[in-house]
């Protein structure tokens, strides 16, 4: 089977490549890439004029909800949502029921995600940092690593006890496993449901102070520096966290960080009062935070973009604001939000945009992804993105089971059109409406 993606803008940050050219996939592998490829004998030809051809996108922060919460999302609906967003590799969080704290559960997850319905999307599991995610006894990291986990995390249940965190980092360092942390001192956020500021005061809601995040960012960076354990800071949301991460990196601590699309595109003041689709943790902050996060991303202080795709069922979000669970879906809006808010505003170049959404996150968890170099990924993983397509996001037409998005009805410029992974092809409905499409 020979597939030719013809005449697009090839953006491959792993080779610093930004050229108009074609990509040939043969037997599920990248066979050729460049300006002069052999198109003869193609079984399928996709005219990619005006589109970007990129390595499949990589999202290292996704909640798939299985086992235990399949009413929110399943491995299949989550991977389908990923493919629709252009993602061919995702890392999934362990806050399931039971939590992903042992090899048998990792086997289950890897088995489910390799089913044909999963759209060829690779799922890299993140193991629980502590047994049952109770924050007490470290997991068996060697066993988890052998089973295939790419990192260990306490996401959603941030470790409050610094001694336990230090021990976990020492143990993870021994088996060379990155630790990913949701940074929140919960003694400062108890009962709070949004950012602490003017808006929380107006609404009469208890607010989360920025310091609750920053204290943990500082603590975890110091422990990473001390233990030498690779630390990945999840969903950075404040300018203070950025300053601390920059210092930690300057000191030589093995620290990386991510930002979510909602944290660089929305602020707490914009929230329709008590709309639970705007409730997530960390919460939306202020304009100054957004501006700082964007410049930190462009400067490489924040390494990559990750969605924190956190689906919840309608009935769970359809309750008073304070009682609603934290989290919003993100896989199917990440490209639209990023291109609209960063790339088209000139804040990130197209090549850097792809780096932050693919090559760099793959490096952080050492995933075989994020590149168009032939033979560097187990199968060809490619996304085709129309950067100029304007479209309106309708959450009711998404693949994810979760309909909890603050972007419903928003107009974005930039959309994933095609996603190729492991012989599977996702094809957006807008693809067939393209005037220049030739066939396939
Ligand atoms: O918004 C969030 N949702 N933040 C978290 O820490 C957990 C996540 C979830 O699992 O729903
Ligand atoms: Zn999360």
């Amino acid at each position: 089977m020979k597939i030719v993606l013809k005449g697009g803008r090839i953006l491959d940050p792993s080779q610093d490549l930004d050229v108009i050219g074609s990509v040939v996939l043969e037997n599920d592998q990248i066979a050729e890439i460049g300006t002069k490829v052999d198109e003869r004998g193609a079984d399928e030809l996709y005219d990619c004029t005006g589109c970007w051809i990129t390595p499949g996108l990589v999202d290292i922060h996704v909640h798939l909800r299985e086992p235990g919460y399949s009413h929110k999302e399943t491995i299949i609906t989550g991977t389908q949502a990923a493919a629709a967003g252009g993602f061919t590799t995702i890392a999934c969080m362990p806050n399931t029921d039971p939590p992903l704290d042992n090899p048998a559960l990792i086997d289950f997850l890897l088995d489910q995600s390799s089913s044909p319905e999963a759209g060829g999307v690779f799922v890299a599991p993140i193991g629980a940092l502590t047994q049952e995610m109770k924050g007490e006894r470290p997991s068996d990291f060697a066993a988890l690593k052998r089973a295939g986990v790419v990192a260990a995390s306490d996401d959603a249940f941030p470790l409050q006890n610094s001694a336990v965190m230090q021990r976990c980092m020492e143990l993870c360092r021994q088996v060379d496993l990155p630790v990913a942390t949701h940074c929140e001192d919960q003694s400062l956020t108890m009962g709070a449901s949004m950012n602490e500021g003017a808006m929380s005061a107006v609404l009469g809601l208890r607010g989360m102070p920025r310091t609750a995040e920053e204290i943990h960012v500082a603590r975890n960076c110091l422990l990473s520096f001390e233990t030498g354990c690779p630390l990945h800071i999840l969903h950075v949301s404040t300018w203070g966290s950025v300053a601390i991460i920059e210092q930690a990196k300057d000191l030589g601590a093995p620290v990386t960080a991510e930002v979510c699309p909602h944290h660089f595109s929305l602020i707490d003041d914009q929230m329709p009062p008590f709309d639970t689709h705007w409730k997530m943790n960390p919460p939306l902050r202020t304009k100054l935070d957004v501006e700082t996060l964007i410049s930190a991303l462009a400067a490489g202080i924040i390494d990559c973009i990750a969605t924190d795709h956190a689906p919840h069922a309608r009935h769970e979000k359809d309750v008073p604001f304070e009682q609603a669970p934290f989290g919003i879906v993100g896989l199917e809006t990440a490209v639209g939000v990023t291109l609209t808010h960063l790339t088209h505003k000139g804040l990130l170049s197209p090549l850097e945009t792809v780096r932050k959404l693919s090559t760099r996150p793959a490096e952080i968890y050492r995933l075989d992804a994020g590149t168009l170099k032939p033979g560097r990924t187990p199968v060809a993983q490619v996304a085709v993105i129309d950067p100029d397509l304007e479209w309106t996001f309708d959450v009711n037409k998404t693949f994810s089971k979760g309909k909890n998005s603050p972007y419903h009805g928003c107009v974005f410029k930039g959309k994933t059109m095609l996603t190729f992974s492991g012989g599977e092809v996702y094809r957006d409905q807008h693809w067939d409406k393209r005037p220049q499409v030739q066939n396939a």
Side-chain angles (χ1 to χ4, degrees):
M1 174 80 159
K2 179 168 175 174
I3 299 173
V4 176
L5 310 177
K6 184 181 157 85
R9 181 173 181 180
I10 304 173
L11 293 165
D12 182 3
S14 76
Q15 317 180 49
D16 284 320
L17 194 65
D18 180 353
V19 288
I20 303 293
S22 302
V23 172
V24 180
L25 314 183
E26 222 163 342
N27 302 324
D28 300 338
Q29 296 290 337
I30 293 183
E32 264 187 288
I33 157 170
T35 47
K36 293 192 190 91
V37 303
D38 183 5
E39 293 169 10
R40 286 170 303 174
D43 299 291
E44 290 180 7
L45 182 73
Y46 294 86
D47 180 349
C48 296
T49 310
C51 288
W52 296 354
I53 306 175
T54 77
L57 306 183
V58 177
D59 188 353
I60 57 174
H61 190 161
V62 173
H63 295 268
L64 286 179
R65 307 302 193 199
E66 272 193 288
Y69 304 110
S70 52
H71 64 288
K72 296 177 194 267
E73 191 80 289
T74 64
I75 293 166
I76 302 300
T77 56
T79 48
Q80 287 174 346
F87 295 94
T88 54
T89 301
I90 58 177
C92 69
M93 282 297 177
N95 60 330
T96 49
D97 185 19
L100 304 179
D101 68 356
N102 68 71
L105 288 166
I106 303 301
D107 285 349
F108 159 80
L109 196 98
L110 291 174
D111 187 53
Q112 292 282 303
S113 62
S114 56
S115 99
E117 292 146 79
V121 172
F122 286 84
V123 178
I126 297 173
L129 200 58
T130 58
Q131 294 175 38
E132 299 175 69
M133 291 191 93
K134 282 190 170 161
E136 293 161 7
R137 288 169 301 147
S139 303
D140 183 343
F141 299 118
L144 283 172
K145 188 163 180 184
R146 271 196 304 276
V149 308
V150 296
S153 182
D154 59 348
D155 190 30
F157 300 98
L159 261 185
Q160 299 303 298
N161 185 316
S162 303
V164 179
M165 180 56 100
Q166 185 192 43
R167 185 77 191 123
C168 286
M169 283 204 195
E170 279 167 353
L171 292 168
C172 282
R173 167 81 179 89
Q174 285 170 17
V175 295
D176 199 17
L177 193 64
V179 167
T181 59
H182 169 126
C183 293
E184 179 185 350
D185 181 329
Q186 290 175 318
S187 67
L188 293 169
T189 59
M190 214 126 44
S193 46
M194 68 175 294
N195 180 45
E196 184 181 78
M199 194 47 130
S200 64
V202 167
L203 297 176
L205 291 169
R206 194 179 296 240
M208 298 182 162
R210 54 188 54 252
T211 40
E213 174 175 320
E214 293 155 358
I215 286 168
H216 263 220
V217 171
R219 179 198 75 172
N220 295 343
C221 284
L222 288 167
L223 290 174
S224 161
F225 185 65
E226 180 200 43
T227 60
C229 178
L231 168 69
H232 180 64
I233 311 260
L234 302 165
H235 42 44
V236 176
S237 77
T238 76
W239 63 261
S241 295
V242 169
I244 296 163
I245 291 164
E246 184 174 19
Q247 267 199 339
K249 287 187 167 193
D250 284 349
L251 272 175
V255 172
T256 54
E258 68 183 34
V259 63
C260 301
H262 45 277
H263 288 129
F264 64 66
S265 61
L266 303 173
I267 60 173
D268 62 350
D269 280 3
Q270 297 168 323
M271 180 178 94
F274 307 109
D275 186 338
T276 60
H277 292 153
W278 289 59
K279 179 176 176 180
M280 71 292 282
N281 190 2
L284 300 173
R285 306 284 187 182
T286 66
K287 192 160 169 276
L288 177 62
D289 295 297
V290 166
E291 288 166 359
T292 311
L293 291 168
I294 293 173
S295 15
L297 181 67
I301 299 164
I302 292 180
D303 297 81
C304 72
I305 297 169
T307 68
D308 194 8
H309 177 82
H312 294 290
R314 274 190 204 278
H315 69 273
E316 293 167 328
K317 279 286 198 181
D318 199 9
V319 294
F321 195 82
E322 287 143 295
Q323 292 161 29
F326 291 102
I328 63 168
V329 289
L331 285 166
E332 291 166 84
T333 44
V335 164
V337 174
T338 303
L339 269 66
T340 305
H341 286 268
L342 303 184
T343 324
H344 289 304
K345 288 186 180 166
L347 300 168
L348 271 189
S349 70
L351 191 64
E352 286 307 303
T353 302
V354 178
R355 193 187 305 278
K356 311 294 183 194
L357 283 166
S358 178
T359 308
R360 189 69 192 119
E363 285 166 358
I364 290 171
Y365 289 160
R366 304 163 207 162
L367 308 171
D368 293 328
T371 177
L372 293 174
K373 285 185 190 160
R376 289 294 180 88
T377 53
V379 292
Q381 298 179 25
V382 186
V384 175
I385 293 167
D386 184 341
D388 296 314
L389 184 85
E390 293 193 20
W391 59 290
T392 304
F393 176 59
D394 182 348
V395 78
N396 299 311
K397 296 201 175 130
T398 55
F399 287 86
S400 173
K401 274 195 184 185
K403 305 301 172 194
N404 46 316
S405 171
Y407 297 111
H408 178 59
C410 284
V411 177
F412 295 124
K413 189 172 177 184
K415 193 168 202 320
T416 300
M417 288 281 143
L418 305 165
T419 309
F420 299 85
S421 189
E424 304 285 331
V425 186
Y426 164 77
R427 184 158 144 172
D428 191 86
Q429 47 153 348
H430 290 87
W431 179 262
D432 299 313
K433 297 181 192 145
R434 281 166 54 86
Q436 67 270 49
V437 65
Q438 289 184 353
N439 61 12

